Amino acid sequence: MDLLFLGTSAATPTRTRNVSALALLEPRGKGWFLLDCGEATQHRVMQAGLSLHELQAIFITHVHGDHCYGLPGLLASAGLQGRTRPLTLVAPAGVEAWMDATQQMSQLSLPYPLQWLPTESLGCWSSEHWLVDVTELSHRVRSFAYGFTEARPESRLDQARLLADGIARGPVWGQLKKGIDAAYEGRTLRSRDYLIFPHPPRRVVVAGDNDRPELLAAACRNAQVLVHEATFSLERPVETRFGHSAAGQVAAFADSIGLPNLVLTHFSSRFQDNPERSPGIADLRAEALQHYRGGLWLAEDLARFRLDRTGSLCRVLPAPARDPRP
Amino acid sequence: MDLLFLGTSAATPTRTRNVSALALLEPRGKGWFLLDCGEATQHRVMQAGLSLHELQAIFITHVHGDHCYGLPGLLASAGLQGRTRPLTLVAPAGVEAWMDATQQMSQLSLPYPLQWLPTESLGCWSSEHWLVDVTELSHRVRSFAYGFTEARPESRLDQARLLADGIARGPVWGQLKKGIDAAYEGRTLRSRDYLIFPHPPRRVVVAGDNDRPELLAAACRNAQVLVHEATFSLERPVETRFGHSAAGQVAAFADSIGLPNLVLTHFSSRFQDNPERSPGIADLRAEALQHYRGGLWLAEDLARFRLDRTGSLCRVLPAPARDPRP
């Protein structure tokens, strides 16, 4: 699974960072998920070379504009590009009604159906490859994290056990390998009893705006990666963080649970990319490093990370040339 | 008055052009008007170096999303930047209610008042320097053109007439020069009787989407510049233009009324900037030139034109280096 950041600035775009959006995609497959959709997300989607035809679902973490004002334009452009496949949208209360009002105001009719699911009662949702769960966070409005767990992690057949159980090599082996339970000589063979999983299933948690990272302790238990906002630094008093977290606060939480990889994003525009200016993104990195011993990453727009089958996270491509136009 | 194009693509952004927005501004002053506000207009505003503090009014031509989906984000960013001055918004029916719904959904409160005026009943509106009028056009939804006429064109005192009328040099001359009627020895002197205007007032007409350019004949009578969409070329049959105009059609209209300058914009994304690809913007230019003998311009994002006091239009700055990111 790849994480491709489409927007990493809080509240308002800067010359180098757009407002929130993140694509989760298979390295080779075409299908992808979109997490949040701030204004001009469709522009970043175009720059990243992603196809709106292949977008499988959109997940909105909360109703603030920098996380959803890009929905109308992105959905309209998908229609203009001829999309006909239904699109799933998982969003907190209010977003669907607003999108309806937007379509009515602007007389926008889409050539594909929208399938809305309320975040608050999502429970567990699954696509072909991923199981998605929800954790509620703490912010000025209801805000949520989405957890993505690999539905069918890499596996191989336990041939020794198959032979020991008297199951002859044949089509039934292929069925079990595919994860399908099989009937065999009056017995039902459970696929998972005959598969060996060299690695635990991959799991990524993507959090919305949140001032209490510890609410993610359970959600992060088997996760290799947490993507979390770090809007401010610890220098800002907690009572003036407006429901947001500081880099060091998130880092300390991640360290306390032994999280392997932490990706910080959603930086206040006061933190500048230019390493010669202060306060800068470099200051947030330094603060987080003081509290966290795992793999730390500070997201940039169009930066792409890969979580491979072994659960390792790495940056896969250099970011495109720095460019002032989000 | 300068015209600074912030978006010149129809319906959907391309790698070189954003959706509709146009800034009208004084060459030296800070105040400016925004005509239409497609998604990511605030990004272009930032790139153009315009200040949201100095934005005086927004005029929306019609309710289609590529002309107004950028409003929520732009208004929110103006608030985050600390704007407190009221902002006038002139928009067709539906936009104000949608903006209300958007603010409610996203819990957006602005630190400055919005003063909404309905386009349909605007009549004539005036700012310090400009008088604004409205013309209804023909499109799939109600669509409008805004005409901007210089309120106080350049002038000088008619000293010969002042002296002939026995008005002695003194403070009253200064008052008349400023355009203010003055009391003098029991008479009321009308300023305009003692001013000489070397040039007619400047007038620019900016049209929304429209398939009948001839509706602008009266509005363009004393205009030096018309900004009009040219979504398609004449090769596309009129019945499949979806309420839009072809470049040659607008050009023929402009020629028929002897319009001095025509700026075409709002090009379908099928017309490419690369002169080696067809169909291209160059084809639209060639088509328009076949029908129009005045000054023809095809807008580009961030291109800036100046209408000087004499009524001449020229491009004032080279466009910034071509850049794929709207």
Side-chain angles (χ1 to χ4, degrees), chain A residues 18 39-40 43 46 69 106 326, chain B residues 15 18 39-40 43 69 106 326:
Chain A
N18 198 26
E39 183 181 359
H43 299 70
M46 178 170 52
Y69 282 171
S106 56
Chain B
R15 290 184 176 272
N18 198 26
E39 183 181 359
H43 299 69
Y69 282 172
S106 55

Side-chain angles (χ1 to χ4, degrees), chain B residues 278-299:
Chain B
S278 180
I281 298 291
D283 298 311
L284 294 179
R285 185 191 305 274
E287 177 178 299
L289 283 173
Q290 286 183 0
H291 295 86
Y292 180 57
R293 290 162 288 180
L296 176 71
W297 313 81
L298 276 76

Side-chain angles (χ1 to χ4, degrees), chain B residues 102-123:
Chain B
T102 302
Q103 288 191 244
Q104 196 174 348
M105 180 279 295
S106 55
Q107 303 202 13
L108 169 65
S109 83
L110 298 173
Y112 59 92
L114 302 181
Q115 297 176 332
W116 291 92
L117 298 172
T119 306
E120 294 84 348
S121 57
L122 185 70

Side-chain angles (χ1 to χ4, degrees), chain A residues 12-15 18 39-40 42-43 46-47 63-64 69 72-73 77 94 98 102 105-108 141 323 325-326, chain B residues 12-15 18 39-40 42-43 46-47 63-64 69 72-73 77 94 98 102 105-108 141 320 323 325-326:
Chain A
T12 185
T14 72
R15 289 183 177 272
N18 198 26
E39 183 181 359
Q42 68 162 318
H43 299 70
M46 178 170 52
Q47 290 155 22
V63 297
H64 281 153
Y69 282 171
S77 287
W98 171 68
T102 303
M105 181 278 296
S106 56
Q107 302 202 14
L108 169 66
V141 296
D323 185 302
R325 304 191 189 177
Chain B
T12 185
T14 72
R15 290 184 176 272
N18 198 26
E39 183 181 359
Q42 67 163 319
H43 299 69
M46 178 169 54
Q47 289 155 20
V63 296
H64 282 154
Y69 282 172
S77 287
W98 170 68
T102 302
M105 180 279 295
S106 55
Q107 303 202 13
L108 169 65
V141 295
D323 185 301
R325 305 190 189 177

Side-chain angles (χ1 to χ4, degrees), chain A residues 35 75 106 159 182 208 325:
Chain A
L35 277 286
L75 299 182
S106 56
Q159 299 196 5
R325 304 191 189 177

Side-chain angles (χ1 to χ4, degrees), chain B residues 1-5 22-25 27 130 202-206 223-228 259-264 292 294-299 303-317:
Chain B
M1 171 186 257
D2 282 10
L3 294 79
L4 175 51
F5 284 85
L22 168 64
L24 297 186
L25 58 160
W130 297 92
R202 284 174 286 179
R203 178 167 168 82
V204 174
V205 177
V206 181
Q224 293 88 25
V225 185
L226 168 64
V227 177
H228 198 286
L259 184 83
N261 296 285
L262 174 64
V263 187
L264 299 177
Y292 180 57
L296 176 71
W297 313 81
L298 276 76
R304 185 166 180 156
F305 301 88
R306 180 160 298 160
L307 180 64
D308 70 14
R309 293 193 172 278
T310 71
S312 296
L313 187 73
C314 60
R315 184 136 176 193
V316 281
L317 290 170

